[in-house]
Amino acid sequence: MAWYDVDEMAVLTQEQIAQFWHDGVLTVANAVTPAQLAALRHDFDAWVEERRAYAAPYGETIGGRPRFDMQPGHSADDPALRRVQAPTELSAAYYDAMANSRMTDMVADLIGPDVKLHHSKINSKLPGSGTEVKWHQDFPFTPHSNSDLVTALLMVDEVTPENGPLEVQLGSHKGPIHPIWQDGVFTGAVAAELEARMKRGAVSCHGPAGSVCLMHTRVAHGSAPNRSAHPRTLFICVYSAGDAVPLTPNPVPTKHQGLFVRGGDPGRIRSEAFEVARPQYPKTSFFAQQSESERTT
Ligand SMILES: O=C(O)CCC(=O)C(=O)O
């Protein structure tokens, strides 16, 4: 898949915008400034250190669920922080990257002019942690009246083919919405045989730290454990068009939901026809929903 570098002042070109709507994915370098990137890394490193002291998920978001979620097996010597929910509430650096960066401008080029935040999170794969993401589309987790939603995955670390990059099925945003309930259980993942097929045709999204992967909400994707000696930290912001209205509770509640980061409230609701099973609200995090052993404990 092609990825692009753009100069300091540019926003996306028509070619890049066309590529996004064709593939459902576009990776662009330098989505934040070097100073913004350094601030993101600084705050994340501090959270990893701080979490060594905790054996179980810790902290609280406005939904009453843990702020910091760890992979089972986490310990002080082997910290396995896998998720920080709503980091824009904790850190000026994360807020700034979400609301005031070239990443924000790029999203406006795709689904603007009116763009609002739905939620934010950090997905972390520390070396050897085993954290993986089973294949799914984001839309059935966060259905809206229309599907003009972009999941922006900002690479806080360099992402390589070895450290568990996002893998996508190009063009899948134009296909069906695949169930993430299997045999009456909310697994948060497509059926195993479909996942195997999707993996065979997958393309991975990697790039230097500071790059962003802009992904349409209906693109099928997943990611494997980090087999390398280097961390893979993604700051993920989910944005919607101003006229897309959420139909179910936010699985990552945040006081910043609905914040207009570009433009303003158009005062209109736009809808598309689709049918989707209601998602199950998570008890702790998305990772626990996807894990058979964590679901049953
Ligand atoms: O962390 C990743 O590799 C993928 C993120 C993802 O699929 C999600 O959070 O929905």
mmCIF file with all atom_site columns, all heavy atoms in Angstrom, residues 64-89:
data_model
loop_
_atom_site.group_PDB
_atom_site.id
_atom_site.type_symbol
_atom_site.label_atom_id
_atom_site.label_alt_id
_atom_site.label_comp_id
_atom_site.label_asym_id
_atom_site.label_entity_id
_atom_site.label_seq_id
_atom_site.pdbx_PDB_ins_code
_atom_site.Cartn_x
_atom_site.Cartn_y
_atom_site.Cartn_z
_atom_site.occupancy
_atom_site.B_iso_or_equiv
_atom_site.pdbx_formal_charge
_atom_site.auth_seq_id
_atom_site.auth_comp_id
_atom_site.auth_asym_id
_atom_site.auth_atom_id
_atom_site.pdbx_PDB_model_num
ATOM 1   N N   . GLY A 1 64 ? -17.056 4.745   34.783 1.00 0.00 ? 64 GLY A N   1
ATOM 2   C CA  . GLY A 1 64 ? -16.844 3.911   35.970 1.00 0.00 ? 64 GLY A CA  1
ATOM 3   C C   . GLY A 1 64 ? -15.960 2.701   35.705 1.00 0.00 ? 64 GLY A C   1
ATOM 4   O O   . GLY A 1 64 ? -15.776 1.864   36.581 1.00 0.00 ? 64 GLY A O   1
ATOM 5   N N   . ARG A 1 65 ? -15.426 2.581   34.505 1.00 0.00 ? 65 ARG A N   1
ATOM 6   C CA  . ARG A 1 65 ? -14.559 1.441   34.194 1.00 0.00 ? 65 ARG A CA  1
ATOM 7   C C   . ARG A 1 65 ? -13.096 1.834   34.339 1.00 0.00 ? 65 ARG A C   1
ATOM 8   O O   . ARG A 1 65 ? -12.763 3.025   34.362 1.00 0.00 ? 65 ARG A O   1
ATOM 9   C CB  . ARG A 1 65 ? -14.854 0.949   32.774 1.00 0.00 ? 65 ARG A CB  1
ATOM 10  C CG  . ARG A 1 65 ? -16.125 0.133   32.708 1.00 0.00 ? 65 ARG A CG  1
ATOM 11  C CD  . ARG A 1 65 ? -16.313 -0.496  31.366 1.00 0.00 ? 65 ARG A CD  1
ATOM 12  N NE  . ARG A 1 65 ? -16.557 0.484   30.334 1.00 0.00 ? 65 ARG A NE  1
ATOM 13  C CZ  . ARG A 1 65 ? -15.828 0.593   29.221 1.00 0.00 ? 65 ARG A CZ  1
ATOM 14  N NH1 . ARG A 1 65 ? -14.816 -0.192  29.004 1.00 0.00 ? 65 ARG A NH1 1
ATOM 15  N NH2 . ARG A 1 65 ? -16.123 1.502   28.328 1.00 0.00 ? 65 ARG A NH2 1
ATOM 16  N N   . PRO A 1 66 ? -12.192 0.823   34.421 1.00 0.00 ? 66 PRO A N   1
ATOM 17  C CA  . PRO A 1 66 ? -10.784 1.166   34.626 1.00 0.00 ? 66 PRO A CA  1
ATOM 18  C C   . PRO A 1 66 ? -10.202 2.004   33.491 1.00 0.00 ? 66 PRO A C   1
ATOM 19  O O   . PRO A 1 66 ? -10.509 1.774   32.321 1.00 0.00 ? 66 PRO A O   1
ATOM 20  C CB  . PRO A 1 66 ? -10.086 -0.198  34.677 1.00 0.00 ? 66 PRO A CB  1
ATOM 21  C CG  . PRO A 1 66 ? -11.144 -1.201  34.892 1.00 0.00 ? 66 PRO A CG  1
ATOM 22  C CD  . PRO A 1 66 ? -12.422 -0.624  34.371 1.00 0.00 ? 66 PRO A CD  1
ATOM 23  N N   . ARG A 1 67 ? -9.366  2.943   33.858 1.00 0.00 ? 67 ARG A N   1
ATOM 24  C CA  . ARG A 1 67 ? -8.684  3.800   32.870 1.00 0.00 ? 67 ARG A CA  1
ATOM 25  C C   . ARG A 1 67 ? -7.546  3.035   32.196 1.00 0.00 ? 67 ARG A C   1
ATOM 26  O O   . ARG A 1 67 ? -7.329  3.135   31.001 1.00 0.00 ? 67 ARG A O   1
ATOM 27  C CB  . ARG A 1 67 ? -8.129  5.008   33.628 1.00 0.00 ? 67 ARG A CB  1
ATOM 28  C CG  . ARG A 1 67 ? -7.213  5.891   32.851 1.00 0.00 ? 67 ARG A CG  1
ATOM 29  C CD  . ARG A 1 67 ? -7.920  6.947   32.071 1.00 0.00 ? 67 ARG A CD  1
ATOM 30  N NE  . ARG A 1 67 ? -8.615  7.899   32.893 1.00 0.00 ? 67 ARG A NE  1
ATOM 31  C CZ  . ARG A 1 67 ? -9.419  8.858   32.394 1.00 0.00 ? 67 ARG A CZ  1
ATOM 32  N NH1 . ARG A 1 67 ? -9.602  8.955   31.088 1.00 0.00 ? 67 ARG A NH1 1
ATOM 33  N NH2 . ARG A 1 67 ? -10.041 9.681   33.191 1.00 0.00 ? 67 ARG A NH2 1
ATOM 34  N N   . PHE A 1 68 ? -6.819  2.259   33.021 1.00 0.00 ? 68 PHE A N   1
ATOM 35  C CA  . PHE A 1 68 ? -5.635  1.534   32.528 1.00 0.00 ? 68 PHE A CA  1
ATOM 36  C C   . PHE A 1 68 ? -5.939  0.038   32.539 1.00 0.00 ? 68 PHE A C   1
ATOM 37  O O   . PHE A 1 68 ? -6.314  -0.507  33.579 1.00 0.00 ? 68 PHE A O   1
ATOM 38  C CB  . PHE A 1 68 ? -4.424  1.821   33.422 1.00 0.00 ? 68 PHE A CB  1
ATOM 39  C CG  . PHE A 1 68 ? -4.017  3.271   33.409 1.00 0.00 ? 68 PHE A CG  1
ATOM 40  C CD1 . PHE A 1 68 ? -4.509  4.155   34.366 1.00 0.00 ? 68 PHE A CD1 1
ATOM 41  C CD2 . PHE A 1 68 ? -3.161  3.754   32.437 1.00 0.00 ? 68 PHE A CD2 1
ATOM 42  C CE1 . PHE A 1 68 ? -4.144  5.498   34.354 1.00 0.00 ? 68 PHE A CE1 1
ATOM 43  C CE2 . PHE A 1 68 ? -2.788  5.091   32.415 1.00 0.00 ? 68 PHE A CE2 1
ATOM 44  C CZ  . PHE A 1 68 ? -3.287  5.966   33.377 1.00 0.00 ? 68 PHE A CZ  1
ATOM 45  N N   . ASP A 1 69 ? -5.758  -0.612  31.408 1.00 0.00 ? 69 ASP A N   1
ATOM 46  C CA  . ASP A 1 69 ? -6.098  -2.032  31.292 1.00 0.00 ? 69 ASP A CA  1
ATOM 47  C C   . ASP A 1 69 ? -4.823  -2.804  30.968 1.00 0.00 ? 69 ASP A C   1
ATOM 48  O O   . ASP A 1 69 ? -4.082  -2.441  30.056 1.00 0.00 ? 69 ASP A O   1
ATOM 49  C CB  . ASP A 1 69 ? -7.129  -2.188  30.159 1.00 0.00 ? 69 ASP A CB  1
ATOM 50  C CG  . ASP A 1 69 ? -7.572  -3.620  29.977 1.00 0.00 ? 69 ASP A CG  1
ATOM 51  O OD1 . ASP A 1 69 ? -7.734  -4.333  30.994 1.00 0.00 ? 69 ASP A OD1 1
ATOM 52  O OD2 . ASP A 1 69 ? -7.742  -4.050  28.819 1.00 0.00 ? 69 ASP A OD2 1
ATOM 53  N N   . MET A 1 70 ? -4.588  -3.859  31.729 1.00 0.00 ? 70 MET A N   1
ATOM 54  C CA  . MET A 1 70 ? -3.362  -4.635  31.538 1.00 0.00 ? 70 MET A CA  1
ATOM 55  C C   . MET A 1 70 ? -3.659  -6.028  30.994 1.00 0.00 ? 70 MET A C   1
ATOM 56  O O   . MET A 1 70 ? -4.693  -6.621  31.307 1.00 0.00 ? 70 MET A O   1
ATOM 57  C CB  . MET A 1 70 ? -2.620  -4.796  32.878 1.00 0.00 ? 70 MET A CB  1
ATOM 58  C CG  . MET A 1 70 ? -1.744  -3.611  33.189 1.00 0.00 ? 70 MET A CG  1
ATOM 59  S SD  . MET A 1 70 ? -2.634  -2.309  34.023 1.00 0.00 ? 70 MET A SD  1
ATOM 60  C CE  . MET A 1 70 ? -2.263  -2.639  35.714 1.00 0.00 ? 70 MET A CE  1
ATOM 61  N N   . GLN A 1 71 ? -2.712  -6.561  30.234 1.00 0.00 ? 71 GLN A N   1
ATOM 62  C CA  . GLN A 1 71 ? -2.784  -7.935  29.738 1.00 0.00 ? 71 GLN A CA  1
ATOM 63  C C   . GLN A 1 71 ? -2.612  -8.875  30.934 1.00 0.00 ? 71 GLN A C   1
ATOM 64  O O   . GLN A 1 71 ? -1.757  -8.614  31.793 1.00 0.00 ? 71 GLN A O   1
ATOM 65  C CB  . GLN A 1 71 ? -1.633  -8.137  28.743 1.00 0.00 ? 71 GLN A CB  1
ATOM 66  C CG  . GLN A 1 71 ? -1.579  -9.449  28.028 1.00 0.00 ? 71 GLN A CG  1
ATOM 67  C CD  . GLN A 1 71 ? -2.645  -9.563  26.943 1.00 0.00 ? 71 GLN A CD  1
ATOM 68  O OE1 . GLN A 1 71 ? -3.133  -8.562  26.441 1.00 0.00 ? 71 GLN A OE1 1
ATOM 69  N NE2 . GLN A 1 71 ? -3.010  -10.783 26.624 1.00 0.00 ? 71 GLN A NE2 1
ATOM 70  N N   . PRO A 1 72 ? -3.407  -9.978  31.041 1.00 0.00 ? 72 PRO A N   1
ATOM 71  C CA  . PRO A 1 72 ? -3.161  -10.931 32.126 1.00 0.00 ? 72 PRO A CA  1
ATOM 72  C C   . PRO A 1 72 ? -1.680  -11.347 32.103 1.00 0.00 ? 72 PRO A C   1
ATOM 73  O O   . PRO A 1 72 ? -1.098  -11.537 31.035 1.00 0.00 ? 72 PRO A O   1
ATOM 74  C CB  . PRO A 1 72 ? -4.071  -12.113 31.778 1.00 0.00 ? 72 PRO A CB  1
ATOM 75  C CG  . PRO A 1 72 ? -5.165  -11.508 30.950 1.00 0.00 ? 72 PRO A CG  1
ATOM 76  C CD  . PRO A 1 72 ? -4.529  -10.374 30.183 1.00 0.00 ? 72 PRO A CD  1
ATOM 77  N N   . GLY A 1 73 ? -1.073  -11.475 33.295 1.00 0.00 ? 73 GLY A N   1
ATOM 78  C CA  . GLY A 1 73 ? 0.352   -11.803 33.367 1.00 0.00 ? 73 GLY A CA  1
ATOM 79  C C   . GLY A 1 73 ? 1.195   -10.563 33.629 1.00 0.00 ? 73 GLY A C   1
ATOM 80  O O   . GLY A 1 73 ? 2.394   -10.665 33.893 1.00 0.00 ? 73 GLY A O   1
ATOM 81  N N   . HIS A 1 74 ? 0.544   -9.403  33.601 1.00 0.00 ? 74 HIS A N   1
ATOM 82  C CA  . HIS A 1 74 ? 1.263   -8.161  33.884 1.00 0.00 ? 74 HIS A CA  1
ATOM 83  C C   . HIS A 1 74 ? 1.898   -8.229  35.279 1.00 0.00 ? 74 HIS A C   1
ATOM 84  O O   . HIS A 1 74 ? 1.299   -8.732  36.217 1.00 0.00 ? 74 HIS A O   1
ATOM 85  C CB  . HIS A 1 74 ? 0.264   -6.992  33.833 1.00 0.00 ? 74 HIS A CB  1
ATOM 86  C CG  . HIS A 1 74 ? 0.713   -5.759  34.540 1.00 0.00 ? 74 HIS A CG  1
ATOM 87  N ND1 . HIS A 1 74 ? 1.376   -4.743  33.888 1.00 0.00 ? 74 HIS A ND1 1
ATOM 88  C CD2 . HIS A 1 74 ? 0.623   -5.385  35.838 1.00 0.00 ? 74 HIS A CD2 1
ATOM 89  C CE1 . HIS A 1 74 ? 1.665   -3.793  34.767 1.00 0.00 ? 74 HIS A CE1 1
ATOM 90  N NE2 . HIS A 1 74 ? 1.209   -4.151  35.952 1.00 0.00 ? 74 HIS A NE2 1
ATOM 91  N N   . SER A 1 75 ? 3.131   -7.720  35.405 1.00 0.00 ? 75 SER A N   1
ATOM 92  C CA  . SER A 1 75 ? 3.757   -7.622  36.734 1.00 0.00 ? 75 SER A CA  1
ATOM 93  C C   . SER A 1 75 ? 4.683   -6.417  36.711 1.00 0.00 ? 75 SER A C   1
ATOM 94  O O   . SER A 1 75 ? 4.946   -5.838  35.651 1.00 0.00 ? 75 SER A O   1
ATOM 95  C CB  . SER A 1 75 ? 4.564   -8.893  37.040 1.00 0.00 ? 75 SER A CB  1
ATOM 96  O OG  . SER A 1 75 ? 5.679   -8.939  36.165 1.00 0.00 ? 75 SER A OG  1
ATOM 97  N N   . ALA A 1 76 ? 5.203   -6.094  37.889 1.00 0.00 ? 76 ALA A N   1
ATOM 98  C CA  . ALA A 1 76 ? 6.099   -4.925  37.980 1.00 0.00 ? 76 ALA A CA  1
ATOM 99  C C   . ALA A 1 76 ? 7.324   -5.113  37.081 1.00 0.00 ? 76 ALA A C   1
ATOM 100 O O   . ALA A 1 76 ? 7.780   -4.173  36.435 1.00 0.00 ? 76 ALA A O   1
ATOM 101 C CB  . ALA A 1 76 ? 6.526   -4.739  39.431 1.00 0.00 ? 76 ALA A CB  1
ATOM 102 N N   . ASP A 1 77 ? 7.823   -6.363  37.022 1.00 0.00 ? 77 ASP A N   1
ATOM 103 C CA  . ASP A 1 77 ? 9.028   -6.609  36.223 1.00 0.00 ? 77 ASP A CA  1
ATOM 104 C C   . ASP A 1 77 ? 8.719   -6.744  34.742 1.00 0.00 ? 77 ASP A C   1
ATOM 105 O O   . ASP A 1 77 ? 9.594   -6.580  33.900 1.00 0.00 ? 77 ASP A O   1
ATOM 106 C CB  . ASP A 1 77 ? 9.716   -7.908  36.684 1.00 0.00 ? 77 ASP A CB  1
ATOM 107 C CG  . ASP A 1 77 ? 10.250  -7.744  38.084 1.00 0.00 ? 77 ASP A CG  1
ATOM 108 O OD1 . ASP A 1 77 ? 10.491  -6.581  38.479 1.00 0.00 ? 77 ASP A OD1 1
ATOM 109 O OD2 . ASP A 1 77 ? 10.388  -8.766  38.786 1.00 0.00 ? 77 ASP A OD2 1
ATOM 110 N N   . ASP A 1 78 ? 7.477   -7.091  34.454 1.00 0.00 ? 78 ASP A N   1
ATOM 111 C CA  . ASP A 1 78 ? 7.098   -7.356  33.076 1.00 0.00 ? 78 ASP A CA  1
ATOM 112 C C   . ASP A 1 78 ? 5.793   -6.612  32.777 1.00 0.00 ? 78 ASP A C   1
ATOM 113 O O   . ASP A 1 78 ? 4.745   -7.221  32.570 1.00 0.00 ? 78 ASP A O   1
ATOM 114 C CB  . ASP A 1 78 ? 6.909   -8.885  32.941 1.00 0.00 ? 78 ASP A CB  1
ATOM 115 C CG  . ASP A 1 78 ? 6.934   -9.318  31.499 1.00 0.00 ? 78 ASP A CG  1
ATOM 116 O OD1 . ASP A 1 78 ? 7.236   -8.477  30.628 1.00 0.00 ? 78 ASP A OD1 1
ATOM 117 O OD2 . ASP A 1 78 ? 6.614   -10.501 31.256 1.00 0.00 ? 78 ASP A OD2 1
ATOM 118 N N   . PRO A 1 79 ? 5.833   -5.278  32.764 1.00 0.00 ? 79 PRO A N   1
ATOM 119 C CA  . PRO A 1 79 ? 4.587   -4.511  32.644 1.00 0.00 ? 79 PRO A CA  1
ATOM 120 C C   . PRO A 1 79 ? 3.927   -4.729  31.296 1.00 0.00 ? 79 PRO A C   1
ATOM 121 O O   . PRO A 1 79 ? 4.607   -4.772  30.276 1.00 0.00 ? 79 PRO A O   1
ATOM 122 C CB  . PRO A 1 79 ? 5.042   -3.049  32.809 1.00 0.00 ? 79 PRO A CB  1
ATOM 123 C CG  . PRO A 1 79 ? 6.484   -3.037  32.465 1.00 0.00 ? 79 PRO A CG  1
ATOM 124 C CD  . PRO A 1 79 ? 7.024   -4.407  32.787 1.00 0.00 ? 79 PRO A CD  1
ATOM 125 N N   . ALA A 1 80 ? 2.617   -4.925  31.316 1.00 0.00 ? 80 ALA A N   1
ATOM 126 C CA  . ALA A 1 80 ? 1.905   -5.236  30.065 1.00 0.00 ? 80 ALA A CA  1
ATOM 127 C C   . ALA A 1 80 ? 0.664   -4.354  29.933 1.00 0.00 ? 80 ALA A C   1
ATOM 128 O O   . ALA A 1 80 ? -0.447  -4.845  29.728 1.00 0.00 ? 80 ALA A O   1
ATOM 129 C CB  . ALA A 1 80 ? 1.559   -6.718  30.027 1.00 0.00 ? 80 ALA A CB  1
ATOM 130 N N   . LEU A 1 81 ? 0.876   -3.053  30.066 1.00 0.00 ? 81 LEU A N   1
ATOM 131 C CA  . LEU A 1 81 ? -0.216  -2.103  29.834 1.00 0.00 ? 81 LEU A CA  1
ATOM 132 C C   . LEU A 1 81 ? -0.665  -2.235  28.386 1.00 0.00 ? 81 LEU A C   1
ATOM 133 O O   . LEU A 1 81 ? 0.158   -2.145  27.470 1.00 0.00 ? 81 LEU A O   1
ATOM 134 C CB  . LEU A 1 81 ? 0.325   -0.686  30.096 1.00 0.00 ? 81 LEU A CB  1
ATOM 135 C CG  . LEU A 1 81 ? -0.636  0.473   29.898 1.00 0.00 ? 81 LEU A CG  1
ATOM 136 C CD1 . LEU A 1 81 ? -1.813  0.374   30.865 1.00 0.00 ? 81 LEU A CD1 1
ATOM 137 C CD2 . LEU A 1 81 ? 0.097   1.803   30.106 1.00 0.00 ? 81 LEU A CD2 1
ATOM 138 N N   . ARG A 1 82 ? -1.966  -2.501  28.162 1.00 0.00 ? 82 ARG A N   1
ATOM 139 C CA  . ARG A 1 82 ? -2.420  -2.682  26.773 1.00 0.00 ? 82 ARG A CA  1
ATOM 140 C C   . ARG A 1 82 ? -3.396  -1.600  26.327 1.00 0.00 ? 82 ARG A C   1
ATOM 141 O O   . ARG A 1 82 ? -3.656  -1.455  25.144 1.00 0.00 ? 82 ARG A O   1
ATOM 142 C CB  . ARG A 1 82 ? -3.040  -4.071  26.581 1.00 0.00 ? 82 ARG A CB  1
ATOM 143 C CG  . ARG A 1 82 ? -4.292  -4.312  27.375 1.00 0.00 ? 82 ARG A CG  1
ATOM 144 C CD  . ARG A 1 82 ? -4.795  -5.751  27.235 1.00 0.00 ? 82 ARG A CD  1
ATOM 145 N NE  . ARG A 1 82 ? -5.910  -6.001  28.130 1.00 0.00 ? 82 ARG A NE  1
ATOM 146 C CZ  . ARG A 1 82 ? -6.497  -7.165  28.301 1.00 0.00 ? 82 ARG A CZ  1
ATOM 147 N NH1 . ARG A 1 82 ? -6.068  -8.219  27.632 1.00 0.00 ? 82 ARG A NH1 1
ATOM 148 N NH2 . ARG A 1 82 ? -7.506  -7.304  29.140 1.00 0.00 ? 82 ARG A NH2 1
ATOM 149 N N   . ARG A 1 83 ? -3.986  -0.876  27.258 1.00 0.00 ? 83 ARG A N   1
ATOM 150 C CA  . ARG A 1 83 ? -4.985  0.127   26.865 1.00 0.00 ? 83 ARG A CA  1
ATOM 151 C C   . ARG A 1 83 ? -5.031  1.245   27.894 1.00 0.00 ? 83 ARG A C   1
ATOM 152 O O   . ARG A 1 83 ? -5.059  0.987   29.104 1.00 0.00 ? 83 ARG A O   1
ATOM 153 C CB  . ARG A 1 83 ? -6.344  -0.577  26.772 1.00 0.00 ? 83 ARG A CB  1
ATOM 154 C CG  . ARG A 1 83 ? -7.598  0.283   26.667 1.00 0.00 ? 83 ARG A CG  1
ATOM 155 C CD  . ARG A 1 83 ? -7.742  1.088   25.423 1.00 0.00 ? 83 ARG A CD  1
ATOM 156 N NE  . ARG A 1 83 ? -7.965  0.401   24.163 1.00 0.00 ? 83 ARG A NE  1
ATOM 157 C CZ  . ARG A 1 83 ? -9.157  0.014   23.681 1.00 0.00 ? 83 ARG A CZ  1
ATOM 158 N NH1 . ARG A 1 83 ? -10.241 0.198   24.393 1.00 0.00 ? 83 ARG A NH1 1
ATOM 159 N NH2 . ARG A 1 83 ? -9.253  -0.537  22.485 1.00 0.00 ? 83 ARG A NH2 1
ATOM 160 N N   . VAL A 1 84 ? -5.035  2.482   27.419 1.00 0.00 ? 84 VAL A N   1
ATOM 161 C CA  . VAL A 1 84 ? -5.374  3.645   28.249 1.00 0.00 ? 84 VAL A CA  1
ATOM 162 C C   . VAL A 1 84 ? -6.638  4.222   27.633 1.00 0.00 ? 84 VAL A C   1
ATOM 163 O O   . VAL A 1 84 ? -6.650  4.576   26.445 1.00 0.00 ? 84 VAL A O   1
ATOM 164 C CB  . VAL A 1 84 ? -4.253  4.711   28.251 1.00 0.00 ? 84 VAL A CB  1
ATOM 165 C CG1 . VAL A 1 84 ? -4.637  5.877   29.161 1.00 0.00 ? 84 VAL A CG1 1
ATOM 166 C CG2 . VAL A 1 84 ? -2.909  4.117   28.669 1.00 0.00 ? 84 VAL A CG2 1
ATOM 167 N N   . GLN A 1 85 ? -7.698  4.292   28.416 1.00 0.00 ? 85 GLN A N   1
ATOM 168 C CA  . GLN A 1 85 ? -8.974  4.803   27.891 1.00 0.00 ? 85 GLN A CA  1
ATOM 169 C C   . GLN A 1 85 ? -8.991  6.322   28.033 1.00 0.00 ? 85 GLN A C   1
ATOM 170 O O   . GLN A 1 85 ? -8.633  6.862   29.085 1.00 0.00 ? 85 GLN A O   1
ATOM 171 C CB  . GLN A 1 85 ? -10.157 4.232   28.708 1.00 0.00 ? 85 GLN A CB  1
ATOM 172 C CG  . GLN A 1 85 ? -9.962  2.791   29.141 1.00 0.00 ? 85 GLN A CG  1
ATOM 173 C CD  . GLN A 1 85 ? -10.907 1.814   28.461 1.00 0.00 ? 85 GLN A CD  1
ATOM 174 O OE1 . GLN A 1 85 ? -11.183 1.940   27.266 1.00 0.00 ? 85 GLN A OE1 1
ATOM 175 N NE2 . GLN A 1 85 ? -11.368 0.834   29.206 1.00 0.00 ? 85 GLN A NE2 1
ATOM 176 N N   . ALA A 1 86 ? -9.433  6.999   26.991 1.00 0.00 ? 86 ALA A N   1
ATOM 177 C CA  . ALA A 1 86 ? -9.641  8.457   26.991 1.00 0.00 ? 86 ALA A CA  1
ATOM 178 C C   . ALA A 1 86 ? -8.423  9.239   27.510 1.00 0.00 ? 86 ALA A C   1
ATOM 179 O O   . ALA A 1 86 ? -8.560  10.056  28.432 1.00 0.00 ? 86 ALA A O   1
ATOM 180 C CB  . ALA A 1 86 ? -10.894 8.802   27.804 1.00 0.00 ? 86 ALA A CB  1
ATOM 181 N N   . PRO A 1 87 ? -7.244  9.041   26.906 1.00 0.00 ? 87 PRO A N   1
ATOM 182 C CA  . PRO A 1 87 ? -6.061  9.757   27.407 1.00 0.00 ? 87 PRO A CA  1
ATOM 183 C C   . PRO A 1 87 ? -6.151  11.276  27.219 1.00 0.00 ? 87 PRO A C   1
ATOM 184 O O   . PRO A 1 87 ? -5.429  12.017  27.881 1.00 0.00 ? 87 PRO A O   1
ATOM 185 C CB  . PRO A 1 87 ? -4.909  9.170   26.567 1.00 0.00 ? 87 PRO A CB  1
ATOM 186 C CG  . PRO A 1 87 ? -5.555  8.658   25.331 1.00 0.00 ? 87 PRO A CG  1
ATOM 187 C CD  . PRO A 1 87 ? -6.913  8.175   25.751 1.00 0.00 ? 87 PRO A CD  1
ATOM 188 N N   . THR A 1 88 ? -7.054  11.738  26.340 1.00 0.00 ? 88 THR A N   1
ATOM 189 C CA  . THR A 1 88 ? -7.195  13.197  26.154 1.00 0.00 ? 88 THR A CA  1
ATOM 190 C C   . THR A 1 88 ? -7.700  13.873  27.426 1.00 0.00 ? 88 THR A C   1
ATOM 191 O O   . THR A 1 88 ? -7.576  15.084  27.572 1.00 0.00 ? 88 THR A O   1
ATOM 192 C CB  . THR A 1 88 ? -8.175  13.511  25.002 1.00 0.00 ? 88 THR A CB  1
ATOM 193 O OG1 . THR A 1 88 ? -9.439  12.891  25.284 1.00 0.00 ? 88 THR A OG1 1
ATOM 194 C CG2 . THR A 1 88 ? -7.648  13.008  23.675 1.00 0.00 ? 88 THR A CG2 1
ATOM 195 N N   . GLU A 1 89 ? -8.270  13.070  28.348 1.00 0.00 ? 89 GLU A N   1
ATOM 196 C CA  . GLU A 1 89 ? -8.738  13.659  29.615 1.00 0.00 ? 89 GLU A CA  1
ATOM 197 C C   . GLU A 1 89 ? -7.607  13.794  30.625 1.00 0.00 ? 89 GLU A C   1
ATOM 198 O O   . GLU A 1 89 ? -7.742  14.492  31.627 1.00 0.00 ? 89 GLU A O   1
ATOM 199 C CB  . GLU A 1 89 ? -9.828  12.762  30.233 1.00 0.00 ? 89 GLU A CB  1
ATOM 200 C CG  . GLU A 1 89 ? -11.088 12.682  29.405 1.00 0.00 ? 89 GLU A CG  1
ATOM 201 C CD  . GLU A 1 89 ? -12.089 11.684  29.982 1.00 0.00 ? 89 GLU A CD  1
ATOM 202 O OE1 . GLU A 1 89 ? -11.768 10.998  30.973 1.00 0.00 ? 89 GLU A OE1 1
ATOM 203 O OE2 . GLU A 1 89 ? -13.185 11.579  29.415 1.00 0.00 ? 89 GLU A OE2 1
#
